[in-house]
Amino acid sequence: MLTLKQSRRLQSVVVGTLSWAVALLIFFPIFWMILTSFKTEMDAIATPPQLFFAPTLENYLHINERSDYFSFAWNSVLISFSATVLSMLIAVPAAYSMAFHESRHTKRTLLWMLSTKMLPPVGVLMPIYLLCKSMGLLDSRIALIVIYTLINLPIVVWMVYTYFKDIPVDILEAARLDGATTFQEIGRVLLPIARGGLASTMLLSLILCWNEAFWSLNLTSSAAAPLTALVASYSSPEGLFWAKLSAVSTLACAPILIFGWISQKQLVRGLSFGAVK
Amino acid sequence: MADLSIRNLQKGFDGHAIIQGIDLDVRDREFVVFVGPSGCGKSTLLRLIAGLEEVTSGTISLDGKDITDLAPAKRDLAMVFQTYALYPHMTVRKNLSFALDLARVDKATVKAKVDNAARILELERLLERKPKQLSGGQRQRVAIGRAIVRNPKIFLFDEPLSNLDAALRVQTRLELARLHKELKATMIYVTHDQVEAMTLADKVVVLNGGRVEQVGSPLDLYNHPANLFVAGFLGTPKMGFLRGTVGAVDGSSCEVQLEAGAKLTLPRQACGQKAGASVTLGVRPEHFNIVPAGEGQLQVVADVSERLGSDTYCHVRTANGEQLTIRVRGDFGPAYGQPLELAFDTAHCHLFDAAGVAIDKRSAAEQAA
């Protein structure tokens, strides 16, 4: 029999090993992608796969020659940030009213909003494509911004709603008695208290927009095409070039990964600062 | 000036009537306490006054001006919440000055008012702290300070002490009483704790089921409860109740035959009851005496006793199973099941008719006064 101390120790070793294993498993494809991006095409398809090789930058140079990376990246940045800001502008008042002025229909509205996420996007591809076409919005950033705003809105509203629900309504009532208008109540009391939650919601929305591929591939070609479209453009006609595909994917992921990594520290700080009770 | 007057106030939620027609007057500089069991509507009534809930019907007016539909901020009232409701992202100073900042009061005045409130509540050294760096008692003081700074016509308190520990509650209760005198303020205070009601109030409003049961000074309510509810609600331990019927009645007294066995003659000028009518006798724990066998009127059996040192609360049962509590000065420890004999202090016994309404024990002259 193990003593209590020994069994606790064993437990922590087992849990630690397991978490590392899961973390590595999740990280492995990204690691392999980055690794492959520095291989020659021959090394990339070699069997058995090579862990050690002579690294090269030729894939990145090739991409730089063939396509205008920064134009795609700028589109991604512009579309993701605009869609995120727009959805927050809609979500904050919506979540405020649902969290603090609940009506009989609030719960149903929330569920209905979420249910729209269950519809496969391809189901509305044709009408949306035709709408964009007749409005002259094919290959335009505006179309993507509007669509991303709307498809992420249910999740954004839900998240903001959940963060708002954690804030005691007393605090807002105190502000109301102190003479705050509804805008002051939201702007000077509610938002500062919820800022940690709002920041994580915005980060999630940014990531979702950044990685969205279905609509960007179907509705853009060049002028408004974001990084996802750039990646896709490397995957077809001349056959698969693993190394170049990996390099372009790495370039597509890098900005949002770095942004997420930097803001993570702010987020943790923001979340603990928001503590109300 | 701060004279609040409430007329036929009603409030319903989803078809349930929470407040069922309340009439009430709060005079300038009065300390009024709303007390009642949970769910009696006391907090709702306060929130209606504050403007945080919409009135279904009836009117609320302050100094003759109808404020029934006015926005909370326009009513010139300040509220202290049970949870303190401090702004967690602001320092104590910002918390105190928030209302004045919103009203665009000039900086020098704001500073003077905040410093004054901080001095009154001894918060000077905490002004640059955030609420989460404060203890419960300090947060409570900041919440009160936030109200003081605004110099409102009426202070509203919603169970402000219930999140504090017992010792701090007693201390803060005293501070509130002192504050009321110093500020010469009008205060309305909601609590379920009758000790707070008795100690703080100039006027107690006992609420039950959305209605006012009785309004009066604490001791008036204690000595002359208008009905069984008020009699049972105010006083710790609770008043004991014994069922009985009216016996012989004359102009100055009324005979009561208790189901528990005793027959009492109570001094009553105008009993208004016919012989044979069923009544309830109410006796406070301090108005019983335990006497040697043969000298009392009622035989009971000792249940458990709570011995507090200074007093003993001796719980007893009558022959027909009614429970009573007797307060005995000093220490007293009867054995469980020991027979005891009680004498009634008939001058202080309360009598209630079949509907639970008190049969007033004061003379007609006293009542008129």
Side-chain angles (χ1 to χ4, degrees), chain B residues 186-243:
Chain B
T186 312
M187 295 183 172
I188 302 179
Y189 186 103
V190 163
T191 181
H192 63 269
D193 181 347
Q194 45 143 324
V195 177
E196 285 171 26
M198 295 297 285
T199 52
L200 288 170
D202 295 317
K203 182 152 100 186
V204 177
V205 179
V206 182
L207 291 158
N208 184 33
R211 288 199 170 83
V212 174
E213 293 281 349
Q214 194 176 1
V215 180
S217 73
L219 284 178
D220 192 35
L221 262 54
Y222 188 80
N223 292 325
H224 304 286
N227 52 44
L228 271 176
F229 177 82
V230 177
F233 188 77
L234 291 180
T236 344
K238 276 180 67 167
M239 184 187 278
F241 295 113
L242 296 164
R243 291 187 300 274

Side-chain angles (χ1 to χ4, degrees), chain B residues 17-227:
Chain B
I18 308 291
I19 299 291
Q20 315 194 22
I22 284 184
D23 291 293
L24 187 69
D25 288 297
V26 176
R27 300 263 159 262
D28 192 35
R29 297 190 186 178
E30 221 170 21
F31 199 123
V32 177
V33 174
F34 295 169
V35 68
S38 51
C40 70
K42 55 189 188 294
S43 281
T44 307
L45 181 56
L46 193 76
R47 291 171 58 82
L48 286 169
I49 295 171
L52 294 172
E53 303 282 353
E54 269 177 46
V55 169
T56 306
S57 71
T59 58
I60 305 171
S61 45
L62 184 59
D63 293 335
K65 187 179 138 206
D66 187 352
I67 60 164
T68 316
D69 297 315
L70 222 53
K74 303 248 163 71
R75 298 186 178 210
D76 216 354
L77 309 172
M79 182 151 163
V80 176
F81 292 82
Q82 180 178 356
T83 55
Y84 319 135
L86 301 180
Y87 309 123
H89 57 299
M90 299 182 192
T91 59
V92 170
R93 181 182 288 283
K94 282 275 173 204
N95 263 282
L96 293 176
S97 68
F98 188 62
L100 302 177
D101 291 340
L102 288 179
R104 298 180 193 281
V105 175
D106 69 276
K107 289 229 164 62
T109 318
V110 172
K111 188 176 184 317
K113 286 193 170 183
V114 168
D115 288 344
N116 182 46
R119 184 186 51 75
I120 294 173
L121 296 164
E122 293 165 25
L123 289 170
E124 286 120 320
R125 282 185 301 158
L126 308 175
L127 281 174
E128 302 314 321
R129 292 207 196 161
K130 291 267 177 75
K132 73 172 174 187
Q133 296 166 293
L134 304 178
S135 69
Q138 291 168 335
R139 287 181 203 188
Q140 179 60 268
R141 295 218 299 277
V142 176
I144 295 169
R146 204 164 57 176
I148 290 177
V149 164
R150 291 184 47 205
N151 192 22
K153 282 191 172 168
I154 302 181
F155 287 81
L156 308 175
F157 293 91
D158 189 5
E159 309 220 13
L161 306 186
S162 49
N163 283 5
L164 301 176
D165 66 51
L168 205 51
R169 203 177 304 166
V170 174
Q171 188 195 330
T172 313
R173 204 168 71 204
L174 290 171
E175 282 176 18
L176 274 176
R178 199 199 73 214
L179 210 57
H180 175 238
K181 302 274 184 265
E182 274 182 18
L183 298 173
K184 299 186 175 67
T186 312
M187 295 183 172
I188 302 179
Y189 186 103
V190 163
T191 181
H192 63 269
D193 181 347
Q194 45 143 324
V195 177
E196 285 171 26
M198 295 297 285
T199 52
L200 288 170
D202 295 317
K203 182 152 100 186
V204 177
V205 179
V206 182
L207 291 158
N208 184 33
R211 288 199 170 83
V212 174
E213 293 281 349
Q214 194 176 1
V215 180
S217 73
L219 284 178
D220 192 35
L221 262 54
Y222 188 80
N223 292 325
H224 304 286
N227 52 44

Side-chain angles (χ1 to χ4, degrees), chain A residues 1 4 9 18 27 36 42 48 70 94 96 99 112 121 130 134 139 156 169 200 212 222 234 246 248:
Chain A
M1 279 299 283
L4 184 63
R9 199 152 172 197
L18 263 177
F27 181 66
T36 310
M42 286 312 288
F70 287 101
Y96 167 80
W112 169 77
L130 292 176
S134 59
D139 202 15
V156 172
V169 68
S200 16
E212 206 288 330
S222 56
Y234 274 79
S246 295
V248 79

